[in-house]
Amino acid sequence: MSVRIYRQVHELQGFSLKNCPAMEAPSGVLLCPPDFYQVLAVKNPFMSGHVGAVDRAKARRQWEALREAFDAAGCPVSLIEPAPGLEDMVFCANQSLAGTRPDGEKVALLSAMRHPSRRREVASFERWYEEHGYRVVKLKGVGHETFEGSGDAVWHPGKRLIWGGYGFRSDAGVFAQVARAFHAPVILLKLVNARFYHLDTCFCPLNSEAVLIHPAAFDAASLELILKIFPIVITAGEPEAVSKMACNAVVVGARTAILQKGATSVANRMLALGLGVSEVDTSEFIKSGGSVYCLKQFLF
Ligand code: ARG
């Protein structure tokens, strides 16, 4: 089983998606109720101007509607208990990456968060995974390097292949351990625009052949990699990629895209690809730099 890391298109010689082993679809999602959600310090460009400005009651209503949207799309929801003082814990994408190994074993790789204020979130997830039959894997010897879980490590739909993003919250050096943890190759993409600080803000696989991206978030070598692997690449323009976080969408059950409402051109392109579109309002969470994808962890 190859656990190579690919950074340049010429390295992909001999690699093909067809030869990539199949990977099971997620069995559901993990969400964290927004009891303690707030914007307290500016950690990404979305947060500036929003410190202390979250409407908590509205955030709760939006989160409940998101939970219902997963349910309605046939995607079972599990919950992790929110912890006081951890205002970003609601963004379940970041503390870990869950997946399976080729033998079917469920694995959760724990993150090394960039911001000290988020590091305490990880222990709650470690406990949750231990109680739910996952082998928990920790990064070793990473020093100052960081890794922010499925925010920067995205499974290719249906394939044993991980797309890794680095440059702001995760370091390129950690992905060898990501590949080893899951026995899956990683294609590394460099993020070059601070607004798109996690891979999940600018890269959203829609199915095994199609991906939604915001091109200005990547360097040229990364765009080449994306174009080499995905026969269909649709793009989100700046307004929808920023104000609607349109690339922070999630496809569940291989047929329903859940995304921020008002990302009209992206939604139309999804419909044209034959996906169902379920629109939700995550505006209170976009104030913190997160939308649908960030608010969940795929479980297996
Ligand atoms: N305020 C959070 C942070 O900056 C938002 C995280 C959003 N998560 C994501 N996967 N993009 O850390």
Side-chain angles (χ1 to χ4, degrees), residues 21 77 108 130 133 166 176 197 201 263:
V77 173
E130 278 169 1
Y166 69 98
Y197 61 98
T201 63

Coordinates of all heavy atoms in Angstrom, one line a residue, residues 21 77 108 130 133 166 176 197 201 263:
P21 N -7.4 2.4 -4.1 CA -8.5 1.5 -3.5 C -9.7 2.3 -3.1 O -9.6 3.5 -2.7 CB -7.8 0.9 -2.3 CG -6.3 1.2 -2.5 CD -6.2 2.3 -3.4
V77 N -26.5 12.0 12.9 CA -25.7 13.0 13.7 C -25.4 12.4 15.1 O -26.2 12.0 15.8 CB -26.5 14.3 13.8 CG1 -25.8 15.3 14.8 CG2 -26.8 15.0 12.5
A108 N -8.7 7.8 14.6 CA -8.8 9.2 14.7 C -7.5 9.8 15.0 O -6.8 9.4 16.0 CB -9.8 9.6 15.8
E130 N -12.2 7.5 22.0 CA -11.9 6.3 22.7 C -13.2 5.5 23.2 O -13.3 4.3 23.1 CB -11.1 6.6 24.0 CG -9.6 6.8 23.6 CD -8.8 7.4 24.7 OE1 -9.4 7.7 25.8 OE2 -7.6 7.5 24.5
G133 N -14.9 3.4 19.9 CA -14.3 2.4 19.2 C -13.3 2.7 18.2 O -13.0 2.0 17.2
Y166 N -1.6 23.1 3.3 CA -0.7 23.6 4.3 C -0.4 25.1 3.9 O -0.6 25.5 2.8 CB 0.6 22.8 4.3 CG 1.5 22.9 3.1 CD1 2.5 23.8 3.0 CD2 1.2 22.2 1.9 CE1 3.3 23.9 1.8 CE2 1.9 22.3 0.8 CZ 3.0 23.2 0.7 OH 3.7 23.3 -0.4
A176 N 3.3 13.4 6.4 CA 3.8 12.0 6.3 C 3.2 11.2 7.4 O 2.8 10.0 7.2 CB 5.3 12.0 6.5
Y197 N -7.6 30.1 4.8 CA -6.6 29.7 5.7 C -6.6 28.2 6.0 O -5.7 27.6 6.6 CB -6.7 30.5 7.1 CG -8.0 30.2 7.8 CD1 -8.1 29.3 8.8 CD2 -9.2 30.9 7.3 CE1 -9.3 29.1 9.4 CE2 -10.4 30.7 8.0 CZ -10.4 29.8 9.0 OH -11.7 29.5 9.6
T201 N -11.8 25.8 3.2 CA -12.4 27.1 2.8 C -12.4 27.4 1.3 O -13.0 28.3 0.8 CB -11.7 28.3 3.5 OG1 -10.3 28.3 3.1 CG2 -11.7 28.2 5.0
A263 N -25.4 31.3 -1.9 CA -24.3 31.1 -2.8 C -24.9 30.6 -4.1 O -24.7 29.4 -4.5 CB -23.3 30.1 -2.2

